[in-house]
Amino acid sequence: MREPGKAASDDDRPLIERVRKGDQDALRTLYERYFDRIYNYVYARLGRAEDAEDLAIDTMTKSLTRLDLFHDQGGAFSSWVYRIAHNATIDHYRRHGKVALVSLERAPVPESADPSELAVEQLSNEDLHAAIRDLTDEQQQVLILRFFQDLTAAQAAAVMGKTVGAVQALQHRALGSLERALQGRAAN
Amino acid sequence: MTPEVERMERLAERLRTVEPFIPPPGAKIRGWNLVLAAVEQSTAARVRVHPVRRLVIGAAAAAVLLLAGAGAASADSLPDSPLYPLKGVLENARGVLAFSATDRLAYHLDLARIRLTEAETMIARHRVDLAGASLKALDDQLSSAALVVQSERHADPAAAARLQERLRQAVTTDDQQLADLQGQARTPAAASAIVEARARAADALKLTQEPSASPTASPGGRPSPSRSNGQASPTSTP
């Protein structure tokens, strides 16, 4: 099961101070706290275990070696780590190309498809992951942060550099796009 | 609530039940080794040096340039590489600088993880002989780590308990990775070497749980791993 809400732990601050003083145990604790989450985030974005592994390691290396760049002025360390992971994902897309970047907000839905007939409980995890990867970059990000990473709207807003209201609106549009993507897949 | 909002709620609920992707233990270990190396390198680069010393250090650096180059090349070398013995020299040098029990334990656990990664690679390359040597060396490092815990028990029981917990976590992680490796082994010899390695790792942990146990014999009567076997790994236990 998921571990809810731990991603933006206030406990990070004492650990970060200890890491800055060279404490290897604190370094290991921070690493253990974030590696799985970042791996999961990147895997959900890319869909490939090999790439997820490399990008998660790259993200953790950058986060933990450049703590001097993290200014603890109210911003959570977790937001900083997720932003590094997000940037690494975008760099990966630039280097390797992204399979689908078409917004589905206006995607044609098959005429026979009735939204109320979509049995979401019967959807496989694979279908959901694949459909999410059909969404726009921001839509993917908001769904993964909110539902796979269990971040609150405020935490997701901090990661994405948006207001809470903007994140909530984006989340609503993303769910609509996801529903259309799933209907399209079911019809095919 | 409108039908559309209800549908969105159901979809959101379904998303919350999606099981997370779990990274393989090997990935986590590889990541930790890389993070640790990068942090140590980054810390060393930030250390400020007095200008006069810079000249001395610069001259010394020039003198050891070739050795350093070879050393850097050997850092990622594997048991089937000609540079592998040099890797052991560098690892031993690092061990000399581990003064506290915490540092010594971290040192042995790091080397154990490196040996495990080497064994994994050697099995993938069908070099069962070298994989077996790496697995023995892995257990040597775990036994050495257990001895660190045991000796600390007399000096500081509370600290020893913390070290023992770290060792237990490391052995658990290593055992998971060995179990994965066992599933991938294609030859009986490789599978047998892994089974033995798992048993020896469990023995190492038992060593810390029995303060009165002799460091030269495991609780089950199985001979403890030879810590002087120089061929098993590039590193002899300091």
Side-chain angles (χ1 to χ4, degrees):
Chain A
M1 289 294 289
R2 233 180 272 294
E3 294 178 284
K6 283 190 183 171
S9 170
D10 288 338
D11 296 337
D12 289 344
R13 288 171 195 168
L15 282 172
I16 291 166
E17 281 311 307
R18 284 169 54 196
V19 173
R20 281 174 171 154
K21 290 172 186 167
D23 185 333
Q24 204 178 96
D25 284 341
L27 180 74
R28 182 72 190 240
T29 304
L30 271 181
Y31 175 82
E32 294 284 345
R33 186 172 289 178
Y34 283 101
F35 184 84
D36 287 9
R37 291 173 184 282
I38 296 302
Y39 177 89
N40 192 30
Y41 172 83
V42 179
Y43 199 148
R45 297 295 307 271
L46 301 177
R48 277 173 51 88
E50 299 83 2
D51 294 339
E53 187 175 323
D54 288 345
L55 261 60
I57 292 173
D58 191 38
T59 299
M60 295 312 299
T61 304
K62 281 180 181 159
S63 309
L64 296 172
T65 54
R66 304 309 305 274
L67 282 176
D68 51 322
L69 296 179
F70 168 63
H71 301 292
D72 189 6
Q73 296 172 342
F77 178 68
S78 59
S79 302
W80 192 60
V81 179
Y82 278 116
R83 278 200 295 274
I84 292 174
H86 173 70
N87 291 339
T89 310
I90 299 300
D91 285 346
H92 181 87
Y93 285 150
R94 284 186 187 134
R95 282 198 304 274
H96 300 95
K98 189 177 178 185
V99 177
L101 249 177
V102 180
S103 169
L104 287 164
E105 289 187 52
R106 295 190 188 88
V109 177
E111 285 180 13
S112 60
D114 179 354
S116 63
E117 287 179 0
L118 184 65
V120 292
E121 292 80 8
Q122 291 171 17
L123 293 168
S124 71
N125 290 349
E126 289 74 20
D127 284 341
L128 285 165
H129 280 299
I132 285 174
R133 283 194 288 274
D134 283 343
L135 307 185
T136 66
D137 186 64
E138 281 195 332
Q139 289 175 345
Q140 286 185 41
Q141 203 182 1
V142 76
L143 293 184
I144 292 168
L145 290 175
R146 292 283 283 120
F147 301 117
F148 293 175
Q149 301 283 320
D150 287 320
L151 264 60
T152 63
Q155 288 167 341
V159 174
M160 299 180 73
K162 293 181 180 293
T163 64
V164 173
V167 163
Q168 285 168 336
L170 178 62
Q171 176 186 319
H172 185 78
R173 287 198 303 275
L175 285 171
S177 296
L178 180 63
E179 186 182 51
R180 282 189 288 278
L182 289 165
Q183 284 165 0
R185 284 176 173 272
N188 292 330
Chain B
M1 196 181 283
T2 66
E4 186 196 357
V5 172
E6 275 182 22
R7 289 202 317 274
M8 297 298 116
E9 283 293 320
R10 275 172 44 223
L11 188 52
E13 279 309 306
R14 174 66 185 88
L15 286 174
R16 286 193 180 95
T17 63
V18 172
E19 285 297 314
F21 297 110
I22 305 295
K28 207 164 177 177
I29 292 166
R30 186 169 79 88
W32 170 244
N33 287 333
L34 291 171
V35 166
L36 194 59
V39 168
E40 283 172 354
Q41 199 175 13
S42 153
T43 306
R46 279 201 301 270
V47 172
R48 297 190 181 283
V49 183
H50 189 277
V52 177
R53 283 186 176 175
R54 282 184 191 165
L55 286 174
V56 178
I57 292 171
V64 299
L65 195 57
L66 284 175
L67 277 177
S74 73
D76 293 327
S77 66
L78 291 164
D80 57 356
S81 160
L83 288 174
Y84 191 63
L86 185 56
K87 183 179 185 177
V89 173
L90 295 176
E91 286 178 352
N92 278 332
R94 196 181 133 209
V96 171
L97 298 174
F99 296 112
S100 69
T102 305
D103 289 347
R104 288 202 306 279
L105 184 81
Y107 167 73
H108 290 304
L109 294 184
D110 276 347
L111 291 190
R113 279 193 291 271
I114 292 169
R115 297 290 90 82
L116 184 50
T117 306
E118 289 170 356
E120 201 172 34
T121 310
M122 288 303 101
I123 285 177
R125 293 181 185 177
H126 308 295
R127 293 298 307 269
V128 177
D129 52 336
L130 295 177
S134 291
L135 289 172
K136 280 185 184 133
L138 154 72
D139 293 319
D140 288 351
Q141 294 300 337
L142 293 179
S143 296
S144 299
L147 291 177
V148 170
V149 175
Q150 206 176 37
S151 58
E152 186 69 4
R153 197 184 297 279
H154 303 294
D156 186 346
R162 286 194 296 274
L163 296 178
Q164 184 176 1
E165 177 56 20
R166 281 185 65 180
L167 175 61
R168 189 194 63 76
Q169 288 175 0
V171 169
T172 303
T173 307
D174 290 349
D175 189 62
Q176 282 172 352
Q177 199 173 348
L178 282 168
D180 287 345
L181 201 54
Q182 195 176 335
Q184 296 162 16
R186 291 183 183 170
T187 65
S192 166
I194 295 166
V195 168
E196 284 179 23
R198 293 181 71 184
R200 286 194 301 264
D203 281 351
L205 194 57
K206 283 182 198 165
L207 200 61
T208 67
Q209 293 163 346
E210 296 180 17
S212 58
S214 161
T216 57
S218 63
R222 185 185 288 111
S224 75
S226 163
R227 296 193 289 108
S228 59
N229 184 356
Q231 293 177 342
S233 85
T235 312
S236 57
T237 304

